[in-house]
Amino acid sequence: MARNPKITFIGAGSTVFMKNIVGDVLQRPALSSATIALMDINPQRLEESAVVVNKLISTLGVKARAETYSDQRKALTGADFVVVAFQIGGYEPCTVTDFEVPKKYGLRQTIADTLGVGGIMRGLRTVPHLWKICEDMLAVCPEAIMLQYVNPMAINTWAIAEKYPAIKQVGLCHSVQGTAMELAHDLDIPYEEIRYRSAGINHMAFYLTFEHRQADGSYKNLYPDLVRAYREGRAPKPGWNPRCPNKVRYEMLTRLGYFVTESSEHFAEYTPYFIKEGREDLIEKFGIPLDEYPKRCIEQIERWKGQAEAYRSAETIEVEQSKEYASSIINSVWTGEPSVVYGNVRNNGCITSLPANCAAEVPCLVDASGIQPTFIGNLPPQLTALIRTNINVQELTVQALMTENREHIYHAAMMDPHTAAELDLDQIWSLVDDLLSTHGDWLPAWARTAKKVQAA
């Protein structure tokens, strides 16, 4: 009898996210009898997640089964796939610290989970826990594939590849397909008729082509239409969040000639052009949503209270297909049926204009042989240049983690485009000291004691 896959969720208390992926997985016939192993350190969230999975199983009438664990290694034993989704330090205290401490120095942020001082700190908090998962995987499920959904995605993927190159891993995000859907909507074109190719790094990949299939089977380049729609005020159309009007990316399209895959609120703090002291006109003109991530966290926490209760009392749970890649990857590896996803992997020459060891986001073929990144070649030089400014910060953060050299934390902050545009060197050093001491035990031991570094 054929064996059924075991899919382990580390951070299963991210219940809504976990529900979407399990819902996707269980709707695929080859995966409908899977063992779903849920692991979380929060017993209440773990129990809530188990309730949701069991109701999904009964709603869909499938033979899958759920198991719960508080012990990570036990949850991982014999796993075929490991889905990782957690936030070390949560909204309180860590996200609050990442926003409030920089604000004292006049450094304002929008999301702060990928780059900038917030992204650096999140990387320092997160990577050691990912490394522990890698250690456990090598011990009890060395052939399993890690599907990593944690931010800062590029720093995490890079650090795993650097320290545990034997781990099969891919970093996953939904920005590529999500943004393509938004652009199709802006142009009133059905998403199914769009063809695109994207490459770069996570949250700073660009559509190298973005096209519309014509009636005769040919393809039309949509970039002129997008620029025209922006110039004429027809795009961007209002999106799911009225606080985030998405103008930054359209503006950058007119300057670079290519559209970036991650949201305007993210892109505003990855570059030095939009959030500037004394330039409230820019905040106003481009609708920059300062402190957006804390607002979302508060809304999410509030929403979850009602949702958890609704799930608990519901007989069945509605299951819709999500736009996440996880189930597609698991299905392709398990059955051999090929699919293409956008994944974050060690570059290894896929994008020849970026460093070989950085984490690149490229199209990947997935089948029974696993995740196989495709070759892109050189990016346009202006895209390479902008992406490199973000890679500098990622590389120095990974170096800090690998060598346990605290000096590189300061160097990473110093190279960050937005931080450097706003603060002088003394302020940057002082801010890093302040963040390290405020985060305290959430950081690895070598990074904890803030050390004043005097200029020579």
Side-chain angles (χ1 to χ4, degrees), residues 190-263:
Y191 175 66
E192 297 68 39
E193 296 174 13
I194 298 283
R195 178 176 79 169
Y196 57 82
R197 193 158 193 243
S198 162
I201 59 172
N202 181 239
H203 286 191
M204 206 188 262
F206 291 84
Y207 297 105
L208 303 177
T209 58
F210 197 81
E211 301 168 318
H212 181 204
R213 189 172 69 249
Q214 305 298 291
D216 64 359
S218 65
Y219 282 87
K220 174 191 174 191
N221 174 17
L222 287 174
Y223 272 141
D225 296 26
L226 285 168
V227 172
R228 198 175 309 113
Y230 177 56
R231 298 258 194 245
E232 293 171 5
R234 291 180 285 113
K237 287 184 180 169
W240 66 274
N241 185 343
R243 293 190 299 259
C244 305
N246 204 20
K247 290 179 185 171
V248 166
R249 292 194 288 174
Y250 271 96
E251 184 65 23
M252 290 303 286
L253 165 64
T254 69
R255 312 292 176 147
L256 295 170
Y258 296 88
F259 204 90
V260 75
T261 54
E262 186 46 85
S263 66

Side-chain angles (χ1 to χ4, degrees), residues 176-410:
V176 174
Q177 65 273 41
T179 292
M181 290 172 189
E182 283 178 51
L183 294 181
H185 173 66
D186 281 353
L187 293 176
D188 295 312
I189 294 170
Y191 175 66
E192 297 68 39
E193 296 174 13
I194 298 283
R195 178 176 79 169
Y196 57 82
R197 193 158 193 243
S198 162
I201 59 172
N202 181 239
H203 286 191
M204 206 188 262
F206 291 84
Y207 297 105
L208 303 177
T209 58
F210 197 81
E211 301 168 318
H212 181 204
R213 189 172 69 249
Q214 305 298 291
D216 64 359
S218 65
Y219 282 87
K220 174 191 174 191
N221 174 17
L222 287 174
Y223 272 141
D225 296 26
L226 285 168
V227 172
R228 198 175 309 113
Y230 177 56
R231 298 258 194 245
E232 293 171 5
R234 291 180 285 113
K237 287 184 180 169
W240 66 274
N241 185 343
R243 293 190 299 259
C244 305
N246 204 20
K247 290 179 185 171
V248 166
R249 292 194 288 174
Y250 271 96
E251 184 65 23
M252 290 303 286
L253 165 64
T254 69
R255 312 292 176 147
L256 295 170
Y258 296 88
F259 204 90
V260 75
T261 54
E262 186 46 85
S263 66
S264 285
E265 54 269 28
H266 275 282
F267 207 68
E269 66 181 7
Y270 299 163
T271 56
Y273 314 120
F274 296 97
I275 307 170
K276 289 180 172 293
E277 180 69 34
R279 292 297 308 274
E280 297 312 301
D281 58 312
L282 293 174
I283 305 293
E284 187 68 31
K285 179 180 177 183
F286 294 107
I288 311 288
L290 297 168
D291 295 329
E292 172 61 22
Y293 188 58
K295 289 179 184 132
R296 283 185 201 175
C297 290
I298 292 163
E299 288 166 0
Q300 215 170 3
I301 291 161
E302 207 41 55
R303 200 162 51 239
W304 174 246
K305 286 177 191 165
Q307 213 161 18
E309 204 39 61
Y311 283 148
R312 197 177 287 282
S313 54
E315 283 299 309
T316 59
I317 291 181
E318 193 181 337
V319 189
E320 289 175 11
Q321 203 69 36
S322 83
K323 58 184 183 193
E324 305 293 353
Y325 287 130
S327 74
S328 169
I329 293 171
I330 295 169
N331 186 66
S332 291
V333 172
W334 200 251
T335 66
E337 179 192 326
S339 63
V340 173
V341 305
Y342 278 85
N344 291 272
V345 293
R346 191 178 194 275
N347 184 23
N348 287 343
C350 290
I351 301 176
T352 40
S353 56
L354 297 181
N357 61 343
C358 80
E361 187 169 84
V362 293
C364 300
L365 169 69
V366 192
D367 60 18
S369 297
I371 295 157
Q372 299 147 83
T374 60
F375 178 78
I376 297 292
N378 281 341
L379 296 177
Q382 70 275 29
L383 303 186
T384 295
L386 194 57
I387 289 168
R388 184 69 241 204
T389 66
N390 281 221
I391 286 178
N392 292 335
V393 181
Q394 296 162 5
E395 183 168 35
L396 284 159
T397 307
V398 172
Q399 275 299 305
L401 285 152
M402 289 295 294
T403 60
E404 300 192 352
N405 179 350
R406 195 189 289 106
E407 312 268 312
H408 290 322
I409 304 171
Y410 299 86

Side-chain angles (χ1 to χ4, degrees), residues 6 26 42 53 75 86 164 220 243 308 331 391 411 419 428 447:
K6 177 177 176 179
L26 298 184
N42 180 326
V53 172
F86 55 66
Y164 292 100
K220 174 191 174 191
R243 293 190 299 259
N331 186 66
I391 286 178
H411 298 151
T419 305
I428 292 170

Side-chain angles (χ1 to χ4, degrees), residues 55-74:
K55 288 193 177 173
L56 282 172
I57 290 169
S58 65
T59 300
L60 292 166
V62 291
K63 293 196 172 98
R65 63 196 183 92
E67 301 171 347
T68 57
Y69 297 87
S70 56
D71 181 298
Q72 182 171 286
R73 190 169 282 208
K74 282 183 182 159

Side-chain angles (χ1 to χ4, degrees), residues 75-115:
L76 288 167
T77 301
D80 300 291
F81 303 94
V82 179
V83 182
V84 184
F86 55 66
Q87 186 183 338
I88 301 298
Y91 166 62
E92 286 181 311
C94 287
T95 296
V96 171
T97 298
D98 284 341
F99 274 85
E100 294 307 314
V101 173
K103 224 182 270 180
K104 292 192 301 191
Y105 293 79
L107 184 62
R108 298 170 296 172
Q109 300 171 103
T110 51
I111 306 288
D113 69 350
T114 302
L115 208 73

